[in-house]
């Protein structure tokens, strides 16, 4: 509960797999603070809405409360694997939550829905979905690997596909994001724009983003690609604020996009700063066009951008 702290160490919590499609919630519902340490395994929880009428299924292994109180997850070890939900196959940071991940693995989780909600892309974040007002601090030996989202953000969705006014932040100073896949945009990382001041921001100063893919099989707009990273934008005339990427030092290689931007791609109205002198390495990525970097800047989608 709020104001309390729990520590997991040398424990396995198993969700029981498909469970006849009746599992609706996460393994852990968080209102206070949680420490995840060595020997912890959170696995095999396949959450969904058995009524097939709702998109509100958050966090296969962990979901945090939507209330305004601050919550902290410190992950220094352990494994979160083979879980499923609509938002955050492994973890959904629902509101005002900070995830400090310096070790351990979040792998082989999925953000998928068992039904098609009228062709709408209602799933985000195969490994982690930072849904609103949340922060991810990724460092050390943290591994986010081999996760899958049918739509946006195979490894991390920084902001969900649903527009909200509260933004999210990723601070990546280490760790590896690898082998993740997204059906629409952002095989490794998806950075969402927002309404008013609600845009998401990624600050990446170290770490590896390798071997991720945008497969093109999602319902959402997959034109811009982004096998490694995708930054979304919203034009000012729509009263929106763009997603932002500040990239000063990282390795982005061997990522793949079905269409454009194998390493990195952006919407015409998003903001990206790449400091090449500080050691950014974007090379050896793969796509039909613009294999490493794709930045749309023109009239093609009705707006003009430059830079």
């Amino acid at each position: 509960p709020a104001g309390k702290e729990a520590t997991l160490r040398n424990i396995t919590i198993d969700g029981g797999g498909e469970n006849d499609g009746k599992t609706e919630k996460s393994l852990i519902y968080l209102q206070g603070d949680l420490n995840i340490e060595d020997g912890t395994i959170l696995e095999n929880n396949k959450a969904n809405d058995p009524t097939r009428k709702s998109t509100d299924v958050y966090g296969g292994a962990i979901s945090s409360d939507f209330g305004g109180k601050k919550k902290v997850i410190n992950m220094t070890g352990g494994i979160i694997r083979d879980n499923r939900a609509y938002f955050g196959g492994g973890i959904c940071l629902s509101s005002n939550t900070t995830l400090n991940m310096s070790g351990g693995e979040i792998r082989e989780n999925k953000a998928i829905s068992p039904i098609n909600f009228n062709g709408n892309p209602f799933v985000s974040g195969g490994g982690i979905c930072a849904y609103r007002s949340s922060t991810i601090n990724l460092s050390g030996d943290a591994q986010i690997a081999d996760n899958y989202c049918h739509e946006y953000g195979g490894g991390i969705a920084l902001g969900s596909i649903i527009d909200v006014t509260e933004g999210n932040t990723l601070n990546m100073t280490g760790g590896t994001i690898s082998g993740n896949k997204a059906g629409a945009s952002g095989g490794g990382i998806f950075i969402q724009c927002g309404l008013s001041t609600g845009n998401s921001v990624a600050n990446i100063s170290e770490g590896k983003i390798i071997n991720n893919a945008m497969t093109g099989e999602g319902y959402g707009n997959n034109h811009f690609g982004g096998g490694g990273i995708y930054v979304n934008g919203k034009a000012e005339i729509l009263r929106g604020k763009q997603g932002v990427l500040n990239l000063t030092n990282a390795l982005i290689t061997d990522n793949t996009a079905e269409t454009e931007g194998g390493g990195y791609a952006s919407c015409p109205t998003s903001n990206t700063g790449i400091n090449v002198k500080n050691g950014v390495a974007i090379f050896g990525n793969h796509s039909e066009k613009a294999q490493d970097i794709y930045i749309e800047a023109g009239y093609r989608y009705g707006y003009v951008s430059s830079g």
Side-chain angles (χ1 to χ4, degrees):
K4 302 295 183 180
E5 180 179 290
T7 297
L8 302 179
R9 184 188 310 115
N10 297 325
I11 184 172
T12 296
I13 305 177
D14 191 309
E18 294 291 342
N19 197 28
D20 296 324
K22 297 178 181 178
T23 299
E24 299 180 44
K25 303 296 183 182
S26 310
L27 290 174
I28 297 173
Y29 180 68
L30 186 67
Q31 292 180 308
D33 298 336
L34 178 66
N35 302 312
I36 303 172
E37 299 180 356
D38 287 342
T40 301
I41 300 175
L42 306 179
E43 65 179 359
N44 205 23
N45 194 57
K46 309 294 171 50
N48 75 108
D49 172 30
T51 70
R52 306 284 175 113
K53 295 180 180 179
S54 174
T55 62
D56 297 338
V57 180
Y58 306 101
I62 301 171
S63 64
S64 61
D65 180 57
F66 273 94
K69 293 184 178 180
K70 294 182 179 180
K71 301 160 284 287
V72 177
I73 302 171
N74 297 308
M75 186 171 180
T76 57
I79 302 173
I80 297 174
R81 67 186 180 198
D82 196 27
N83 301 285
R84 187 181 73 206
Y86 300 174
F87 296 95
I91 300 176
C92 184
L93 307 176
S94 302
S95 181
N96 208 11
T97 307
T98 296
L99 170 63
N100 299 312
M101 185 179 177
S102 59
E105 302 175 9
I106 298 175
R107 65 168 55 250
E108 299 172 7
N109 304 282
K110 295 181 179 180
I112 58 175
S113 169
I115 61 173
N116 175 0
F117 287 97
N118 298 319
N120 293 314
F122 277 119
V123 295
S124 303
I128 305 169
C129 179
Y131 195 82
R132 60 176 63 164
S133 300
S134 293
T135 299
I136 301 170
N137 296 315
L138 195 65
S139 64
D141 297 323
Q143 302 282 326
I144 299 175
D146 303 323
N147 302 284
Y148 172 80
C149 178
H150 191 266
E151 300 300 332
Y152 298 95
I156 296 174
L158 199 61
S160 74
I161 190 55
I162 297 175
D163 255 334
V164 293
T165 57
E166 301 93 343
N168 302 273
T169 302
L170 168 66
N171 299 307
M172 185 175 178
T173 58
T176 300
I177 299 173
S178 66
N180 304 284
K181 294 181 179 180
S185 295
I189 303 172
F190 172 76
I191 304 167
Q192 179 63 297
C193 59
L195 301 173
S196 184
T197 59
N199 65 312
S200 290
V201 179
N203 304 303
I204 301 176
S205 58
E206 195 170 334
K208 298 177 181 179
I209 302 168
I210 56 177
N211 197 32
N212 303 284
M214 192 288 289
T215 65
E217 61 189 331
Y219 298 118
N221 184 356
N222 56 43
H223 171 75
F224 301 118
I229 302 173
Y230 176 80
V231 185
N232 205 14
K234 185 179 286 292
E236 292 182 4
I237 61 172
L238 299 178
R239 299 182 181 180
K241 193 170 182 181
Q242 298 86 356
V244 175
L245 169 64
N246 298 310
L247 185 61
T248 57
N249 189 9
L251 173 63
I252 303 174
T253 189
D254 205 26
N255 302 284
T256 302
E258 180 69 17
T259 50
E260 295 150 333
Y264 160 79
S266 68
C267 178
T269 60
S270 61
N271 292 329
T272 299
I274 300 175
N275 191 331
V276 177
K277 292 182 179 179
N278 276 12
V280 174
I282 305 176
F283 68 94
N285 300 285
H286 315 282
S287 67
E288 185 177 318
K289 292 185 287 186
Q291 295 193 39
D292 290 312
I293 299 174
Y294 179 72
I295 301 175
E296 172 73 28
Y299 290 93
R300 185 169 185 174
Y301 286 85
Y303 310 110
V304 179
S305 64
S306 63

